[in-house]
Amino acid sequence: MTAPAARRIVLTGATGQIASLMARYLAPRHRVILTSRTARPGARRPGLTHVTCDYGVYESLVDAFRGADALFVVTNDPTRPEHDRNVVRAAVEASVGHIVKLSAAAVLDSAAHDLITEWQRGNEERIRASGIPWTMIRPRSFMSHALGWAPGIRSGGTTYALHPHSRNACVAPEDIAEVSARLLGDTGHHFRSYQLTGPQPLSAHEQSAVLSQVLGRPLVCRELTPEEAHARYARRYSPAMADALIASAGRQLAGAKAHTTDTVERLTGRPATTFARWAADHRERFA
Ligand SMILES: NC(=O)c1ccc[n+]([C@@H]2O[C@H](COP(=O)([O-])OP(=O)(O)OC[C@H]3O[C@@H](n4cnc5c(N)ncnc54)[C@H](OP(=O)(O)O)[C@@H]3O)[C@@H](O)[C@H]2O)c1
């Protein structure tokens, strides 16, 4: 594999969970252009620029992507497929050299036919058909979902989950960011797909026990009914997205999300982050 000299690298989703962690790996060596609708406070440092764009405004994407040797694509709304079409069309018009796409592990699961998974399959297909060299990153669930428990932990020492004993080999966002940065900065990964997991599958019940140890206080993990879980999802997402998340939890119950890969270790040279390490690193966000 050849590691080229400085590249012009455009990151979409600059204020989101993964791209916001990537600049630290890329900025010392590459010219990095962060893009999103809003600028992240404190994102200004040498080697970094922020450009405002909107997936719904095609011209803003062409302007932001022009001259990119590599483009990191994060979209997050399956109910707006025109956003994904705009991103790929703009990448072609802007002559982007390489697309690294944040997809999802579920695309490999033949039993997964929910809205989110079908959307990500379509996104991958569109990129493969674009003529631009691509790399797909397919992570399992982000460990940061546990942050959704923070208010319940603070107020009553409670975590909650649908199917709390089903296991998920969830992965640290920091690991996804480091792997993504390596794939963007190197030309040796064209036309490859990488499935990323954490080092071991854990249930919500087991994650709750880890958090209890890290925080030094007892926690109770309460089982949600499907109706309760749906109502919680629907506070944040559309009903169709809530349905997809319930279906996804059902696949987890059937064991579809428990297997692990060694991709993080192969690509970074160090073991994947454990949930205990991740929880300790983010302790103050639960306290
Ligand atoms: N969460 C998981 O467990 C998981 C697992 C596997 C795969 N994934 C995939 O990972 C991706 C990230 O999802 P997420 O929800 O976690 O993302 P996120 O962190 O919320 O990031 C979304 C980013 O997109 C930007 N954005 C949103 N709408 C935009 C628009 N119209 N124009 C330009 N930028 C826009 C947001 O910035 P502004 O709002 O500032 O514009 C933000 O920076 C998704 O594709 C998801 O399917 C997630």
Side-chain angles (χ1 to χ4, degrees):
M1 283 178 273
T2 49
R7 315 183 85 197
R8 184 180 173 87
I9 294 178
V10 177
L11 308 182
T12 64
T15 51
Q17 295 192 67
I18 306 301
S20 65
L21 297 169
M22 288 167 64
R24 76 172 79 146
Y25 301 107
L26 293 165
R29 275 195 55 208
H30 302 287
R31 174 134 175 62
V32 180
I33 293 94
L34 305 167
T35 75
S36 52
R37 291 168 302 180
T38 53
R40 188 180 177 81
R44 286 170 205 278
R45 49 182 164 120
L48 289 185
T49 316
H50 185 277
V51 173
T52 301
C53 71
D54 189 320
Y55 299 143
V57 182
Y58 175 72
E59 296 73 19
S60 73
L61 299 174
V62 179
D63 289 345
F65 298 170
R66 204 173 298 284
D69 297 304
L71 171 69
F72 183 64
V73 172
V74 183
T75 52
N76 68 342
D77 190 348
T79 67
R80 302 292 301 272
E82 72 276 16
H83 285 181
D84 302 277
R85 286 194 289 271
N86 282 344
V87 166
V88 177
R89 204 158 61 88
V92 172
E93 183 168 340
S95 301
V96 166
H98 176 205
I99 291 179
V100 175
K101 161 75 177 136
L102 185 62
S103 180
V107 299
L108 295 172
D109 182 352
S110 58
H113 299 291
D114 60 87
L115 173 74
I116 301 169
T117 308
E118 294 293 10
W119 165 70
Q120 289 288 26
R121 285 195 185 111
N123 291 338
E124 287 197 5
E125 194 50 47
R126 191 176 298 110
I127 290 169
R128 282 192 289 268
S130 71
I132 299 173
W134 49 264
T135 307
M136 305 299 171
I137 303 176
R138 296 166 171 166
R140 192 47 83 200
S141 305
F142 302 173
M143 287 180 182
S144 48
H145 283 298
L147 292 171
W149 288 335
I153 288 175
R154 282 189 214 110
S155 62
T158 309
T159 62
Y160 43 82
L162 179 62
H163 314 316
H165 294 282
S166 65
R167 290 194 166 120
N168 187 317
C170 56
V171 55
E174 290 79 1
D175 288 357
I176 303 171
E178 186 175 346
V179 166
S180 303
R182 283 173 185 262
L183 300 178
L184 283 160
D186 193 319
T187 54
H189 303 279
H190 289 183
F191 308 114
R192 294 190 189 174
S193 303
Y194 295 97
Q195 190 178 28
L196 304 190
T197 74
Q200 64 179 140
L202 284 178
S203 67
H205 204 267
E206 290 163 333
Q207 286 184 318
S208 196
V210 170
L211 275 172
S212 171
Q213 282 231 314
V214 165
L215 300 175
R217 54 179 292 198
L219 297 177
V220 174
C221 184
R222 186 170 81 74
E223 178 162 10
L224 296 174
T225 64
E227 293 73 26
E228 287 173 325
H230 197 281
R232 279 176 183 268
Y233 291 139
R235 282 186 214 152
R236 203 173 149 201
Y237 303 110
S238 66
M241 282 281 281
D243 290 347
L245 292 166
I246 295 284
S248 176
R251 285 188 293 105
Q252 180 168 317
L253 181 63
K257 304 186 187 179
H259 87 275
T260 58
T261 66
D262 64 356
T263 315
V264 170
E265 184 155 5
R266 271 194 295 118
L267 292 180
T268 64
R270 49 125 186 119
T273 305
T274 61
F275 184 72
R277 177 75 261 155
W278 179 87
D281 288 347
H282 295 273
R283 180 191 282 113
E284 78 289 351
R285 297 186 66 183
F286 295 94

